[in-house]
Amino acid sequence: MSWPKEVTIKEVGPRDGLQNEIKMIKTEDKISWINELSESGLNYIEITSFVHPKWIPALGDAVEVAKGIKRNPDVTYAALVPNLKGLERALEANVDETSIFMSASETHNKKNINKKIAETLPILKEVVHGSLASGKTVRAYLSTVFGCSYEGAVDPDQVVRVSDALLEMGVSELSLGDTIGVANPQQVEQVLEILLKQFPKEKLAMHFHNTHGTALANVVVSLQMDITTFDSSLGGLGGCPYAPGASGNLATDDLVYMLNGMGVDTGVKEDQLQRAAAFIEEKVAKPLQSNHYKACQATRV
Ligand code: HMG
Ligand code: MG
């Protein structure tokens, strides 16, 4: 089998990882963690979210975090933006890239952003246009691509329709979300086969959650289909509060360990990643779930 020479990892821990945490992490600790991550060789970090603080209280300090971090010029600092109000705040905080998001399934879309799919698209279009006009690139997430906690199976044709609408808006990349971590490698192959007939592989990224332990297997299938951008969260932190049953993201340290071992270049330094993992484990005050981290802790002398 042949593998890509290099892969881009987009670290979503400070956003997806922390948005669901019950324990409030201090703003200064989030800033220190992002600064640690910025020195690990990762060149993309999603640092926070400009959603309504009532909906996601854990990230209510988005502006302070974005303004407080030390910017590494080699890193793109991105954040979620749901609407023009969020864009206003994101521009004030001067993020490099905005990430719009919506779901392929109606019920998750409504529960998560309080709108029907048809109502969401024009709102996101405004965000894309406003971002591009302000010199910011835009990424899009599509959630519930492989299944929805409210509706169950999601029709791939619906995934194609919404993906098309998002890419048409002028986003530079579409991240396909297995929001509740139910995908398996066969399903990933089937869905990607359909999508890759319509969209260039360079425009697609994968966003796996590891609820049932299938995230790395899903990465392997995606790699075989020439996808080279993956989202992950250090230590496997994460989950969407509006998707019951969703648990942690694919862990960045597990992903980096696997890819480095396969000779696929990630640019990420494992030792620095471990330091950043130990830092956030102490702050969230619970053991991190990533296998690589646990193995390193167990064998540390
Ligand atoms: P809404 O209540 O429908 O908003 O919420 P609205 O437009 O009707 O406005 C109501 C009030 O909220 C107004 O204030 C607005 O100004 C204010 P008022 O006039 O009443 O004083 N408002 C805001 N304030 C601050 N920032 C804003 C903002 N927008 C409106 N951005 C909204 C709609 C989208 C805002 C809300 O539903 C929301 O914030 N949802 C976010 C949910 C969320 O963050 N979920 C997790 C992220 S998605 C995810 O995890 C999946 C992903 O990881 C991929 C995957 O795994 O699949 C990305
Ligand atoms: Mg997610």
Side-chain angles (χ1 to χ4, degrees), residues 12 15-16 19 141 143 178-179 207 209 239-240 249:
V12 296
R15 193 278 303 171
D16 209 345
Q19 72 184 8
Y141 283 103
S143 289
D178 182 16
T179 317
H207 180 104
H209 284 253
C240 174
N249 288 71

Side-chain angles (χ1 to χ4, degrees), residues 28 30-39 45 47 64-77 96:
E28 68 205 54
K30 293 178 185 172
I31 291 170
S32 300
W33 187 39
I34 295 165
N35 290 344
E36 287 260 3
L37 289 167
S38 298
E39 297 306 314
I45 307 176
I47 53 172
E64 292 78 5
V65 167
K67 284 188 170 174
I69 57 171
K70 188 168 161 231
R71 306 275 175 125
N72 177 337
D74 297 330
V75 179
T76 298
Y77 296 95
D96 299 321

Side-chain angles (χ1 to χ4, degrees), residues 7 14 16 58-59 107 125-126 135 146 178 181 185 191 194 200 269 294:
V7 150
D16 209 345
L59 303 181
T107 318
K125 203 168 177 177
E126 286 177 342
F146 300 95
D178 182 16
V191 172
I194 296 169
K269 295 170 250 168
K294 283 192 280 191

Side-chain angles (χ1 to χ4, degrees), residues 12 15-16 19 46 49-56 80-87 89 100-102 108 110-115 141-145 175-180 207 209 231 239-242 249:
V12 296
R15 193 278 303 171
D16 209 345
Q19 72 184 8
E46 194 172 73
S49 180
F50 295 95
V51 296
H52 199 302
K54 269 198 220 141
W55 284 64
I56 305 283
L80 284 197
V81 174
N83 53 20
L84 284 182
K85 176 77 190 166
L87 180 61
R89 297 168 60 217
I100 57 170
F101 61 102
M102 65 179 294
H108 184 261
K110 179 75 180 163
K111 298 267 183 195
N112 197 39
I113 49 178
N114 206 24
K115 300 271 180 304
Y141 283 103
L142 184 58
S143 289
T144 63
V145 166
S175 179
L176 302 167
D178 182 16
T179 317
I180 54 171
H207 180 104
H209 284 253
D231 303 345
C240 174
Y242 298 99
N249 288 71

Side-chain angles (χ1 to χ4, degrees), residues 172-228:
S172 49
E173 184 174 87
L174 175 66
S175 179
L176 302 167
D178 182 16
T179 317
I180 54 171
V182 287
N184 63 63
Q186 186 186 43
Q187 187 191 12
V188 170
E189 183 184 15
Q190 285 165 351
V191 172
L192 275 178
E193 253 170 21
I194 296 169
L195 287 169
L196 288 169
K197 282 194 190 115
Q198 314 261 345
F199 311 115
K201 60 182 167 40
E202 297 75 23
K203 290 268 180 187
L204 301 182
M206 304 308 287
H207 180 104
F208 293 119
H209 284 253
N210 198 33
T211 317
H212 298 277
T214 53
L216 274 182
N218 293 335
V219 169
V220 171
V221 170
S222 310
L223 288 171
Q224 285 172 2
M225 300 186 77
D226 274 345
I227 302 292
T228 55

